[in-house]
Amino acid sequence: MKDARKLVESYPRVPITVDCVIFGFDENELKVLLIRSDLELFKDKWSLLGDFADDNEILDDSAYRVLRERTGMDDVYLEQVKTFSKPNRHPGGRVLTVAYCSLLNIEHHQLKKMDNELHWHSVKTIKDMAFDHHEILNECYAWLQKRIQEHPLGFNLLPEKFSLRELQNLYEAILDRKMDRRNFRKKFFAMDFLIDTGLYEDDVPHRPGKLYQFDFKKYGDTKKKWSGIDF
């Protein structure tokens, strides 16, 4: 019989890191949280929030630790998206990284640390990044676009009471395409998850629209039957 410890010791030692892709919605624009790379090789390039996982850490715990240490935020839900394993993705040798993703309302989450020029960037303006982080960002963006059509997570980015214009602006920003106004509203009314509050927008430069709320309870009761939104 083989000794388990000796067997593992005979395996190649490959470090594992976690990278957090934190998307935020602000001023009708999708943004992502980035820092300056501290490696000389990637001087002046932007990087995702990441670090090595400790030997005694669960990867989920590593991701939350990285987010807490880099931003000071401890109230953000992270979801594991994908492992990136190209042998040459790190200049120092083979390193596996596991990407975690989140989507939050920037107004509701205050950055408590600003080291390495930490701040929000428009997703559309990002061109070149350290390591393979642009590839990771693109993969997570594609995941987010699919996810938001499968689950109503976008409603967490809106005020408690919102207009249909605000709702459409949110989906257009994340999916990066214009949508037909009538068709968009028809699809959402057909889902029957919108509650008419009887109120209207105020202090807006256009004709005030009705304000709605999302019926999270009704969605919770029927989500097993819900097949998503087909745009």
Side-chain angles (χ1 to χ4, degrees), residues 145-159:
Q145 290 177 318
K146 183 173 183 290
R147 189 77 168 160
I148 200 171
Q149 295 180 82
E150 297 172 340
H151 303 275
L153 72 165
F155 287 93
N156 294 319
L157 305 182
L158 295 170

Side-chain angles (χ1 to χ4, degrees), residues 70-210:
R70 294 288 192 178
T71 70
M73 295 190 296
D74 56 8
D75 57 348
V76 175
Y77 172 73
L78 293 168
E79 189 162 344
Q80 190 178 122
V81 176
K82 183 178 176 178
T83 299
F84 294 81
S85 60
K86 288 181 180 178
N88 61 348
R89 59 167 303 276
H90 195 291
R94 185 160 200 196
V95 177
L96 304 182
T97 195
V98 180
Y100 282 79
C101 192
S102 186
L103 177 64
L104 51 85
N105 187 321
I106 293 176
E107 287 187 3
H108 298 163
H109 293 81
Q110 186 72 32
L111 296 177
K112 299 172 185 176
K113 296 183 180 181
M114 309 294 283
D115 298 345
N116 291 59
E117 300 180 53
L118 174 74
H119 68 278
W120 295 98
H121 298 249
S122 169
V123 170
K124 289 184 177 181
T125 64
I126 301 165
K127 304 298 182 185
D128 190 24
M129 297 179 67
F131 305 100
D132 56 349
H133 286 188
H134 199 260
E135 177 187 351
I136 296 174
L137 173 60
N138 287 339
E139 288 269 5
C140 287
Y141 185 24
W143 171 87
L144 175 63
Q145 290 177 318
K146 183 173 183 290
R147 189 77 168 160
I148 200 171
Q149 295 180 82
E150 297 172 340
H151 303 275
L153 72 165
F155 287 93
N156 294 319
L157 305 182
L158 295 170
E160 182 182 357
K161 300 180 180 66
F162 54 86
S163 69
L164 294 177
R165 178 183 280 103
E166 289 176 309
L167 180 61
Q168 184 167 344
N169 287 343
L170 169 68
Y171 275 83
E172 287 182 343
I174 294 176
L175 297 176
D176 193 27
R177 69 174 187 265
K178 289 293 183 182
M179 299 180 184
D180 178 75
R181 177 173 170 270
R182 182 176 298 178
N183 188 45
F184 179 87
R185 297 184 177 201
K186 182 180 178 181
K187 285 182 181 292
F188 268 96
F189 282 129
M191 291 190 299
D192 201 26
F193 291 140
L194 297 183
I195 302 171
D196 188 342
T197 66
L199 303 174
Y200 286 82
E201 294 177 297
D202 56 13
D203 294 327
V204 291
H206 48 73
R207 180 181 176 183
K210 280 188 174 184

